[in-house]
Amino acid sequence: MAPKILLVDDRPENIYTLRRVLQKLDVAAEIEEATSAIAGLELTLRHDFCVAIVDVQMPEMDGYEMVSLLRGNESTARLPVIFVSAIYSDEYNHRKGYEAGAVDFLSKPLVPEILLSKVRVFIDLYQQRQELELANQKLHQNHQILERRTRLLEIARQVSHQITAILNLEALLAEIINSIQAQYEYAFIGVWLWQAEQEALTLEAATGSFVLPDTIVPKAVQGPLVEVVESRLPVYLTDPTAVSETQLPSHPHTAVVLLFPLIIGQDDLVGVLDVRQRHQQPFDDESYVNLESLSDQLAIAIRNAQLYDRVLRFNEELEQNVQERTQQLDKAVERLALLDQSKSDFIEVVAHELRTPLSLVKGYSEMLQTEPGIQTNELYMLQVKGIVSGAARMLEIVNTMLDMIKIDAQTLQISPEMMSIASLFRILRSELAPTLNERQQILSITELEQLPHIEADEGALFKLFYQLLINAVKYTPDGREIRVRGRFHGRVGKDDLTEQAVEIAIEDTGIGIDSAYTELIFDKFYQTGHVSLHSTGKTKFKGGGPGLGLALARGIVKAHGGHIWVESDGHDEINYPGSTFFVLLPLRLSRVISF
Ligand code: ADP
């Protein structure tokens, strides 16, 4: 814009002279003129002058008065004024002029060079000021742009912060739409998700009621959405009407469409963010940058929610499977219990039926033993003895079976009385003497004498320890040792209960037991090794048995409120690590020990 100069003089010839001089300026300047101070003031309100050249002496209002009025007005306060005067060009008047606000003085007659050089200075100043103002304006604009960018980025950060915390896919998509809508006020926002198996995009969420059920765009239809899927790059549409409805469903009142790929890393496509504007109004750089940075966050948040959803569904399936399996297992357990019951019933019937004839065989064969005719014949005597011991063994097995049935049905009755463990073992020793003799085994019993009497069913304890000793004999090779020792516990049990009990340990030097079986052997009918591999005979090395001994032993211990367990360094038929069976029995039956 050309700089403007104001000339104020009541005499037109003076103005004419000034004009002529000013034409010689090397810059094109616009000159406005006024023949009175009032007219000059009016012009200053309408134009932005770089300098005013004012005659001092004028009728009605002189130059001094005019300049002081100029100084009083904010918009003209800084307008440089050069006074031109002929009569008043003495020292006094110059001072008066400066006081009124003049910046310079020129005396008549005018020296053109001086006038030109002075005006030139003010034009330069004016131009510099204008340039400065322009630079200032630009700076201000840039500042505003920066501020807006920061604000939008902050919004993007807030949106992504809000959304990354949501794991439910449906809620997440709704939140994405709402957040973007609230911050950027687009006409339409939609989120398309990529369905890899179907090779299609489905519109899962959108502003307003736009989401039509089953809005699906298969890859095969091509168009802008598919272009984003294939190129993994944004697509900008300024004329969406050129695209068919199947390629990109239209939205009323929107004219500009921006489609952003939602990808993780370089290639992992999650979907497409669909943003539309109302008018033919292009998205500015900021919106573009923000949507780009936001779409990265959206992709990750959506993928997280999808994974979480999958885990949830997997968990549900798993839970259902577990439930089904548990039901099947429950049924199987029920069936097994029924089978077990019918097996027990069968054994009970058989055992009862066998007991009477067996007692007869045993009784009559024992009677036969005493017949003189038999006693005198060595061969007959041997045969009858065989019948007697066979019948006794069979009766013993049948009785064990019946005891087992009672333990199963929890009907094993015990008749407790005060008894001595030491004397019980004396009886057991004499009972087993022939067997030990036969197997040349040594039974050493120690530390039982000092044990206190305990309250227990002597008959039941006889069966219990007899069983453990017979097993020790059976699983220990000929000529080796079996040790029995006792210990008194003054205080056992949990929670500081002062419980008293005796502990009996039966330690053999036999084949030992694998740690895998130390619990199982106490189940009824459980035997390690195959039955067919057992040698026959109750007391023979590794002799067979019905697999009831330890189950019966455990039943008896339990009925006394005690505890039974075995310790062994494993099964080894070369080094014979041995096994030790422990039985812990409470001193008084009322004080049942808990384990
Ligand atoms: P069985 O009639 O077979 O002896 P038990 O219930 O008494 O039945 O014993 C179960 C299984 O425990 C036996 O078959 C045997 O394998 C193992 N067992 C019991 N006592 C001993 C022991 N003292 N040493 C090694 N193995 C033993």
Side-chain angles (χ1 to χ4, degrees):
M1 208 175 34
K4 288 181 180 174
I5 302 169
L6 174 64
L7 304 179
V8 186
D9 203 312
D10 58 324
R11 288 206 227 144
E13 63 271 22
N14 282 350
I15 289 181
Y16 176 76
T17 316
L18 282 169
R19 263 189 186 277
R20 292 210 45 164
V21 174
L22 291 174
Q23 268 167 5
K24 295 198 182 105
L25 274 172
D26 54 357
V27 281
E30 255 179 52
I31 295 171
E32 296 287 330
E33 49 186 60
T35 47
S36 73
I38 300 285
L41 283 171
E42 263 175 26
L43 283 172
T44 60
L45 296 177
R46 276 186 278 133
H47 300 273
D48 183 22
F49 294 110
C50 61
V51 63
I53 302 168
V54 178
D55 184 25
V56 172
Q57 202 197 18
M58 286 184 289
E60 289 166 39
M61 186 189 284
D62 66 13
Y64 300 136
E65 231 176 309
M66 179 191 162
V67 173
S68 36
L69 283 173
L70 279 177
R71 296 292 169 254
N73 188 332
E74 205 194 324
S75 64
T76 55
R78 271 183 300 278
L79 171 62
V81 175
I82 302 172
F83 276 135
V84 183
S85 156
I87 322 163
Y88 299 93
S89 50
D90 55 22
E91 178 102 5
Y92 164 77
N93 282 310
H94 278 199
R95 206 176 318 129
K96 201 175 162 199
Y98 286 127
E99 272 166 20
V103 290
D104 219 334
F105 250 94
L106 285 175
S107 308
K108 285 184 189 166
L110 288 170
V111 181
E113 287 71 28
I114 296 182
L115 173 68
L116 283 173
S117 82
K118 286 187 192 244
V119 169
R120 183 70 230 221
V121 168
F122 288 115
I123 288 176
D124 281 352
L125 266 172
Y126 175 81
Q127 280 176 334
Q128 274 170 17
R129 207 181 64 228
Q130 276 212 319
E131 272 167 28
L132 218 80
E133 248 166 41
L134 226 89
N136 210 10
Q137 264 175 19
K138 189 106 188 117
L139 213 76
H140 185 68
Q141 271 172 5
N142 282 347
H143 181 72
Q144 276 186 327
I145 290 172
L146 256 168
E147 258 188 352
R148 185 159 173 256
R149 227 170 247 191
T150 318
R151 195 174 61 85
L152 289 172
L153 276 172
E154 174 58 15
I155 290 170
R157 195 191 63 77
Q158 277 175 9
V159 170
S160 42
H161 181 74
Q162 277 164 9
I163 56 168
T164 40
I166 304 172
L167 280 173
N168 176 293
L169 186 60
E170 211 173 303
L172 171 75
L173 295 176
E175 185 57 37
I176 289 173
I177 303 291
N178 285 343
S179 303
I180 302 179
Q181 177 75 355
Q183 310 293 0
Y184 300 106
E185 291 172 354
Y186 295 124
F188 168 82
I189 303 152
V191 180
W192 297 82
L193 292 189
W194 174 243
Q195 314 294 348
E197 305 93 67
Q198 293 166 262
E199 294 234 301
L201 283 165
T202 50
L203 185 62
E204 295 292 329
T207 35
S209 53
F210 185 71
V211 182
L212 312 168
D214 307 321
T215 310
I216 182 164
V217 174
K219 201 173 172 186
V221 303
Q222 294 301 318
L225 275 170
V226 175
E227 195 182 323
V228 178
V229 168
E230 277 169 353
S231 67
R232 310 284 205 256
L233 290 171
V235 165
Y236 186 41
L237 289 180
T238 46
D239 183 16
T241 50
V243 173
S244 83
E245 197 66 23
T246 48
Q247 292 174 330
L248 181 73
S250 64
H251 180 257
H253 325 300
T254 58
V256 198
V257 181
L258 190 53
L259 301 171
F260 255 99
L262 298 172
I263 35 176
I264 298 173
Q266 294 297 307
D267 203 44
D268 184 6
L269 183 78
V270 173
V272 176
L273 180 65
D274 177 345
V275 187
R276 307 189 194 182
Q277 279 284 51
R278 224 163 241 111
H279 319 287
Q280 196 71 23
Q281 175 191 53
F283 288 90
D284 56 11
D285 281 357
E286 275 91 60
S287 322
Y288 193 87
V289 169
N290 283 303
L291 284 174
E292 197 173 37
S293 79
L294 195 64
S295 59
D296 286 349
Q297 309 288 332
L298 297 186
I300 293 171
I302 293 172
R303 178 52 48 83
N304 280 347
Q306 284 174 328
L307 288 176
Y308 184 71
D309 202 52
R310 220 172 292 164
V311 169
L312 271 190
R313 255 183 293 138
F314 180 69
N315 265 359
E316 272 167 23
E317 267 171 38
L318 210 72
E319 223 164 83
Q320 210 182 327
N321 279 354
V322 168
Q323 256 178 14
E324 278 170 19
R325 287 284 146 82
T326 314
Q327 276 173 359
Q328 285 169 359
L329 270 175
D330 281 351
K331 271 190 194 149
V333 168
E334 231 171 81
R335 224 178 24 244
L336 277 177
L338 268 170
L339 273 175
D340 199 46
Q341 185 55 45
S342 47
K343 196 169 73 184
S344 295
D345 292 349
F346 172 73
I347 291 170
E348 193 178 4
V349 170
V350 171
H352 271 298
E353 291 302 317
L354 283 176
R355 202 149 69 147
T356 318
L358 271 178
S359 301
L360 286 174
V361 173
K362 190 171 171 263
Y364 283 119
S365 56
E366 276 168 359
M367 276 162 65
L368 263 181
Q369 254 182 329
T370 55
E371 286 292 322
I374 299 284
Q375 282 186 335
T376 49
N377 185 318
E378 212 175 298
L379 181 68
Y380 285 170
M381 191 59 188
L382 195 75
Q383 288 167 342
V384 172
K385 263 189 181 168
I387 298 171
V388 169
S389 75
R393 173 86 182 113
M394 277 165 83
L395 203 60
E396 196 183 303
I397 293 175
V398 165
N399 282 337
T400 310
M401 280 178 170
L402 287 172
D403 280 342
M404 201 57 247
I405 299 293
K406 283 185 197 146
I407 284 169
D408 267 0
Q410 294 180 335
T411 53
L412 183 76
Q413 295 284 323
I414 55 166
S415 320
E417 53 194 332
M418 292 312 287
M419 56 154 292
S420 151
I421 297 282
S423 59
L424 177 68
F425 272 86
R426 275 196 293 277
I427 302 169
L428 281 162
R429 179 196 277 286
S430 65
E431 185 78 15
L432 286 166
T435 310
L436 290 165
N437 204 22
E438 188 189 320
R439 299 284 312 276
Q440 294 175 348
Q441 286 168 334
I442 305 135
L443 176 65
S444 56
I445 301 176
T446 53
E447 301 157 42
L448 293 188
E449 299 296 338
Q450 77 273 24
L451 290 179
H453 280 46
I454 67 164
E455 193 183 2
D457 182 325
E458 195 167 351
L461 288 202
F462 180 89
K463 281 184 192 168
L464 157 68
F465 290 116
Y466 179 81
Q467 196 56 54
L468 295 181
L469 285 170
I470 280 289
N471 278 354
V473 167
K474 232 171 25 172
Y475 297 105
T476 301
D478 293 0
R480 293 176 78 96
E481 193 185 358
I482 294 158
R483 291 181 283 269
V484 176
R485 56 181 194 278
R487 199 146 74 99
F488 174 62
H489 286 274
R491 182 190 272 256
V492 290
K494 296 174 194 158
D495 306 329
D496 252 2
L497 283 175
T498 50
E499 303 287 6
Q500 293 180 315
V502 292
E503 181 188 292
I504 318 292
I506 296 167
E507 183 185 0
D508 63 45
T509 49
I511 59 173
I513 299 166
D514 194 301
S515 61
Y517 302 120
T518 48
E519 292 284 333
L520 286 170
I521 52 170
F522 291 98
D523 287 346
K524 66 178 185 227
F525 303 117
Y526 190 86
Q527 297 174 315
T528 61
H530 200 273
V531 186
S532 59
L533 297 177
H534 289 172
S535 58
T536 50
K538 178 174 128 185
T539 56
K540 276 202 182 144
F541 182 44
K542 297 201 285 172
L548 287 174
L550 290 181
L552 183 68
R554 186 176 61 178
I556 293 169
V557 173
K558 274 202 173 161
H560 283 81
H563 186 54
I564 183 168
W565 72 100
V566 66
E567 288 173 11
S568 172
D569 285 340
H571 178 97
D572 185 345
E573 297 196 19
I574 296 167
N575 296 310
Y576 299 114
S579 323
T580 307
F581 282 80
F582 293 89
V583 173
L584 192 70
L585 294 166
L587 224 54
R588 299 285 171 269
L589 274 184
S590 52
R591 314 292 299 270
V592 171
I593 17 179
S594 54
F595 289 89

